[in-house]
Amino acid sequence: QVQLVESGGGSVQAGGSLRLSCAASGYTYSPYCMGWFRQAPGKEREGVATIYFGGGISYYADSVKGRFTISLDKAKNTLYLQMNSLKPEDAAMYYCAARRTRTTQCNIGTWREYNYWGQGTQVTVSS
């Protein structure tokens, strides 16, 4: 059973930065796609960025391209999301997620495709 624990959320002003972390444990030998999703009140959960857990190409939602960076520290089994130039519309609960994969292509897809979720970490951006 995969466990995911997020940290690093908080409150920032528009234009500021935050780095989210997701500590992963309980992996088997199955390959996984890992990523970040977010959900604002009254909105559907949306994908932000994904990456293959063995490293490789990362994928981003258009709304965050050029501002957010997803990365892995395989030695620490930790996924990160560096968020720069934050906007009020980035405010949401951010979730770390994982799904098994048969390829190294980890397109974001929809949240329904992901098997494992963290508890979420809140990001607030004030204008």
Side-chain angles (χ1 to χ4, degrees):
Q1 183 75 9
V2 175
Q3 290 90 40
L4 303 171
V5 179
E6 304 99 332
S7 60
S11 296
V12 296
Q13 289 190 326
S17 298
L18 283 173
R19 189 177 79 156
L20 307 183
S21 300
C22 173
S25 61
Y27 278 85
T28 66
Y29 292 106
S30 298
Y32 289 89
C33 291
M34 294 194 71
W36 292 95
F37 284 73
R38 67 186 181 186
Q39 188 168 20
K43 295 188 177 181
E44 188 169 4
R45 192 168 296 190
E46 65 173 353
V48 175
T50 51
I51 192 168
Y52 179 60
F53 194 66
I57 299 173
S58 50
Y59 298 82
Y60 296 92
D62 288 341
S63 58
V64 307
K65 280 180 182 176
R67 300 188 298 120
F68 291 11
T69 303
I70 189 171
S71 63
L72 285 165
D73 184 332
K74 288 180 279 186
K76 295 182 178 179
N77 279 348
T78 301
L79 181 73
Y80 300 99
L81 185 69
Q82 178 66 44
M83 306 186 293
N84 299 328
S85 302
L86 282 160
K87 304 176 180 180
E89 52 263 42
D90 294 318
M93 184 71 79
Y94 281 71
Y95 298 91
C96 178
R99 62 176 173 87
R100 292 188 181 92
T101 180
R102 296 182 179 180
T103 78
T104 59
Q105 305 301 312
C106 289
N107 303 72
I108 293 176
T110 71
W111 64 267
R112 295 174 182 83
E113 300 172 48
Y114 289 75
N115 311 102
Y116 304 100
W117 293 88
Q119 80 286 355
T121 186
Q122 184 69 45
V123 172
T124 303
V125 185
S126 57
S127 58

